[in-house]
Amino acid sequence: MRALRLPNSSGQAIVFTSCGSESDNWAIGGFLEANPTRRHIITTRVEHEAVRNLCEHLAERGCEVTWLEVDRNGEMDLDDLCRALRRDTGIVSVMMANNETGLLFPIEEIGQMVREYSDAVFHVDGVQAVAKLPINLKQLPVDLFAISGHKFHAPKGIGALYIHHGAKLPPFIIGGGQERGRRSGTEAVHNIVALGRAAKLAIESPVHDHVRRLRDRLEDSILKQFTNARLNGTADRDKRLPNTANISFEGYDGSDILRQLDSKGICVSTGSACNADSAEVSAVLRAMKIPYEIARGSIRFSVGRYTTEAEIDEALSALRTIVTT
């Protein structure tokens, strides 16, 4: 089977994987395996667990990881990156959009800095951003770019890794030589076809303005109606994905709000990692130095292609029965 070509890319192949986590793991771990003298990694404190936990794992095995801090808005300081780059830096990994707050990182500026001041490879976890905003890899100085199909209406179990011609990775799975020898094993053709169809739909029928309008209405209504509601992340919506709002309800446990909304047929996610065995809040909100009493009540609201005005009204009505204003 031929590898797909990513729309608006520079013509380099995309290799099919099972998910975004596999793509991230292969990109980072594979590069370090192929370049054993380049053991320095630079990443941020707010990466998805697929990157953050992998980097912690690699640090236990002899790699050196520089963790870039973020401010209260979730933004990084590019001067910190410049100071962190070294001759032995192997890979810089910064997500395009944060999975909890929706914050967009300045990928073009970061990539240019990496190329200007080092010989490092630049890996981007693009899982949250694909299909939610225009992405043109012809114009981005990115070497490795991870995607996951279920984030834009393909099935779970299919992802991909864009590999620029300058980035050399060893095979992720050794076997029959599928995916041009990069990832052996029988391809899940039905999932690959679905991924391609979802990508085509996203390109031909973009819904960025639709989801932005609904997200803004939901976010504005919550912040106006609930005096204990706090926005987590920058208030500058141009610096966030158009579909995401992370809001804390001070004095509440986000997991309790989630369960009650779920019982009403409303799907949200909690920005908190609270569970029956732990009182910890998410690593992302901790890195942003959000106070515990606020962070523990966080909820991530996401809207999508098929979200309607009526569903926004339903979510607001349900919240009013759960949270005291």
Side-chain angles (χ1 to χ4, degrees):
M1 177 177 290
R2 293 182 179 179
L4 283 182
R5 298 201 181 277
L6 191 65
N8 290 325
S9 77
S10 55
Q12 305 309 315
I14 234 182
V15 181
F16 299 117
T17 65
S18 65
C19 60
S21 293
E22 180 187 323
S23 298
D24 288 333
N25 273 249
W26 182 24
I28 298 172
F31 178 83
L32 294 172
E33 178 185 341
N35 298 272
T37 62
R38 307 280 294 281
R39 308 295 287 174
H40 180 227
I41 307 166
I42 300 175
T43 190
T44 78
R45 291 283 186 188
V46 294
E47 297 298 308
H48 186 274
E49 289 88 343
V51 171
R52 191 174 68 247
N53 289 348
L54 173 64
C55 289
E56 291 175 352
H57 172 80
L58 291 169
E60 295 174 354
R61 282 152 178 77
C63 290
E64 183 181 353
V65 180
T66 296
W67 299 94
L68 301 177
E69 303 291 342
V70 297
D71 62 18
R72 181 68 178 265
N73 290 330
E75 299 180 82
M76 62 181 285
D77 187 336
L78 292 182
D79 289 338
D80 290 343
L81 171 61
C82 188
R83 287 188 289 267
L85 289 167
R86 307 187 325 212
R87 186 183 298 267
D88 65 332
T89 301
I91 193 163
V92 176
S93 180
V94 179
M95 64 192 344
M96 180 168 277
N98 186 264
N99 54 299
E100 294 189 24
T101 66
L103 181 90
L104 299 171
F105 285 93
I107 294 303
E108 184 171 1
E109 293 88 338
I110 294 170
Q112 290 172 347
M113 185 176 292
V114 171
R115 291 190 176 180
E116 182 176 356
Y117 295 107
S118 76
D119 294 323
V121 162
F122 184 33
H123 163 254
V124 174
D125 179 337
V127 167
Q128 293 294 326
V130 171
K132 298 183 181 73
L133 48 84
I135 300 171
N136 192 335
L137 288 177
K138 292 179 181 177
Q139 299 176 354
L140 291 177
V142 171
D143 299 301
L144 300 162
F145 189 88
I147 71 173
S148 182
H150 78 276
K151 295 298 183 181
F152 54 102
H153 303 293
K156 292 183 178 180
I158 183 67
L161 180 66
Y162 165 84
I163 305 176
H164 188 269
H165 67 81
K168 305 299 182 184
L169 299 179
F172 185 71
I173 299 176
I174 297 172
Q178 288 89 343
E179 295 299 290
R180 297 181 179 178
R182 294 186 176 101
R183 186 187 187 274
S184 293
T186 303
E187 293 106 330
V189 176
H190 56 299
N191 281 349
I192 293 170
V193 171
L195 178 67
R197 183 68 184 92
K200 184 178 181 181
L201 178 66
I203 294 168
E204 294 180 348
S205 302
V207 292
H208 313 137
D209 292 340
H210 167 72
V211 298
R212 184 185 301 276
R213 178 172 53 82
L214 293 180
R215 188 279 310 273
D216 291 354
R217 179 171 170 241
L218 175 65
E219 185 177 295
D220 288 341
S221 297
I222 291 174
L223 295 176
K224 180 179 180 180
Q225 294 178 27
F226 298 91
T227 57
N228 58 346
R230 305 286 184 271
L231 179 68
N232 295 318
T234 179
D236 186 346
R237 288 168 172 164
D238 290 335
K239 292 184 177 181
R240 283 190 281 141
L241 290 174
N243 74 313
T244 303
N246 189 305
I247 297 175
S248 285
F249 298 90
E250 189 170 3
Y252 285 80
D253 188 325
S255 59
D256 288 340
I257 298 174
L258 182 150
R259 282 192 290 269
Q260 292 186 65
L261 287 175
D262 182 66
S263 70
K264 299 175 185 294
I266 298 170
C267 296
V268 297
S269 61
T270 175
S272 166
C274 295
N275 55 49
D277 302 315
S278 173
E280 291 295 316
V281 299
S282 86
V284 169
L285 298 185
R286 288 202 308 272
M288 292 167 60
K289 301 177 179 60
I290 305 296
Y292 174 80
E293 282 303 315
I294 296 176
R296 70 186 292 268
S298 64
I299 293 289
R300 186 190 70 176
F301 298 89
S302 299
V303 300
R305 173 179 295 273
Y306 303 110
T307 305
T308 66
E309 295 276 1
E311 288 171 332
I312 298 297
D313 291 336
E314 184 180 353
L316 290 169
S317 176
L319 272 173
R320 287 191 289 269
T321 69
I322 298 169
V323 178
T324 302
T325 59

